[in-house]
Every structure is written in structure tokens, then in C-alpha cells.
Amino acid sequence: MKIIGMVIADDNGFVPVENFAKSMGAVEYTYNSDKTLEFKIDDKTVICTLCGIGKVNAANSAAALIYGKGVDCIINFGLSGAISKLRKGELAVGVKYVEHDFDLTPIGYKPGIKPQEKSVYTPDKTLYDAVQKASGGMTDAVLVSGDMFVSDRNKKQFLVENFGANACDMESAAIASVCNKADVPFISFRSISDDADDSAVETYTAQNDKKQADMSEIAFAAVKML
């Protein structure tokens, strides 16, 4: 893997990436309407994009990196809400990614199922091993994605019952879907910002202000191992 793509959704998550990239002499430009940083780590080219929040933004950015920049893999990280078996501040790496808001239940399908195509995605083993080694070990998690901020206990129960969800976000499964179709290795790992309940908004804001430096350090350490 010589060209590494990184897709980051929000400004605060991008701050530590930008700081590191600029220390490495990064070139900054706009690509596919995304703020983009390109630089070298050893013999690898790293291309980081600030895609914006949500599934469409994330999928658009991932596709642009794959088909326009020829990246060999994509790494994603950010904040997620805890659904089950995870606690605020914990780091979790996705071992399954599902779009929880894909809903054809009125015509007989189970939640999240896409007719005649893959609906549950898994990470690349090489990327998974690198991220686990770089972090010292994260908790394996089922990450579910949808274009909504989950802050309702009933919704949490639905996600557990239908997907076995451990955490929810708004990007990972969408990127996983794009990478699956393109046969490009993918990994997403997440810092748990809140409990996806009535306190979620306040807690998420507090965690987001920390600028997620630890996740960017893990990502760049993993890149060196690829």
C-alpha cells in the first residue's frame, strides 16, 4: 500500500491531522470540493480529506480518492455514540459496518438489507492488524451508520436488536460500501463520545472539543506499518 487515503468528517477531527501533515511539509489544496492535504510518510503518499458530516459526503469523498487519486486503501476515524458494551472515551475498531437507516421493511426485507448485494462490510485484515498494533489494542465493535444523531433510548434498543450494534456514526458504513464495490481495503475506528441517549448532545460537544488527537496519532502510526 503506497497511496493511503484518509477521510475525516468534521473540523475538529481534522485539526490534529492538519497539524501533523503540515509538520511533514504537506501540500494543501481543494479536491472534489474537499479540503485536502497530501504529504509523505516514509515511502508512502498520504492524502487526507475533510469530507463533511454524513453518509453522502463520506461516500463522495471516498469515491473521489479511489477513482481520482488511485488510493490503495482508506482509513476513517471520528467520534461515535455508544450503543452497547462500550463506554465514553473508549476506542473501538469496526469489525462490521452496516447502514442502519437503509430500510426496505415495508416490502419484506429486514432492516439494513440491500437486495442482491452486500449489506454488512468487514475491515481489511492488514489495516485492522496495523491499527490494533498502533493503538495497543482497541475493542472490536459493530459500527452502524445513518444520517441521524442518535439520542433516543428506543432507537438504541432497535439498533442492538436488529444489528447487534455497539456504536453509531454517520460515515463508516457508507465508506465501507464504496470501498467494497471498488475492492479497496478499508478500516474505521472510533472514539466513543457519548451514550446516544438524552445526554448525548452535551457529552458529544465536550468530547469533540478535545480535537481527537489520539486517533490521528494511531492512524499515522498504522500507516508506517503498512
Side-chain angles (χ1 to χ4, degrees), residues 83-117:
I83 300 297
S84 66
K85 301 179 182 178
L86 293 172
R87 297 175 296 175
K88 291 190 293 289
E90 191 170 358
L91 290 173
V93 59
V95 293
K96 291 182 181 179
Y97 311 97
V98 188
E99 295 173 64
H100 70 75
D101 60 352
F102 193 95
D103 187 0
L104 295 181
T105 55
I107 57 174
Y109 292 93
K110 292 182 179 180
I113 295 299
K114 300 178 179 181
Q116 300 176 349
E117 65 176 287

Side-chain angles (χ1 to χ4, degrees), residues 32-114:
N32 189 46
S33 299
D34 293 337
K35 184 176 183 179
T36 302
L37 297 165
E38 187 169 333
F39 59 100
K40 289 279 191 179
I41 294 181
D42 300 329
D43 62 339
K44 303 172 186 71
T45 298
V46 182
I47 306 174
C48 304
T49 62
L50 176 61
C51 70
I53 295 170
K55 286 167 54 183
V56 172
N57 284 334
N60 180 48
S61 184
L65 288 178
I66 292 168
Y67 299 112
K69 292 292 187 178
V71 298
D72 298 313
C73 67
I74 290 183
I75 298 170
N76 165 255
F77 57 85
L79 299 181
S80 284
I83 300 297
S84 66
K85 301 179 182 178
L86 293 172
R87 297 175 296 175
K88 291 190 293 289
E90 191 170 358
L91 290 173
V93 59
V95 293
K96 291 182 181 179
Y97 311 97
V98 188
E99 295 173 64
H100 70 75
D101 60 352
F102 193 95
D103 187 0
L104 295 181
T105 55
I107 57 174
Y109 292 93
K110 292 182 179 180
I113 295 299
K114 300 178 179 181

Side-chain angles (χ1 to χ4, degrees), residues 163-180:
F163 305 106
N166 301 123
C168 59
D169 63 70
M170 298 175 70
E171 296 87 23
S172 63
I175 304 171
S177 178
V178 171
C179 289
N180 174 69

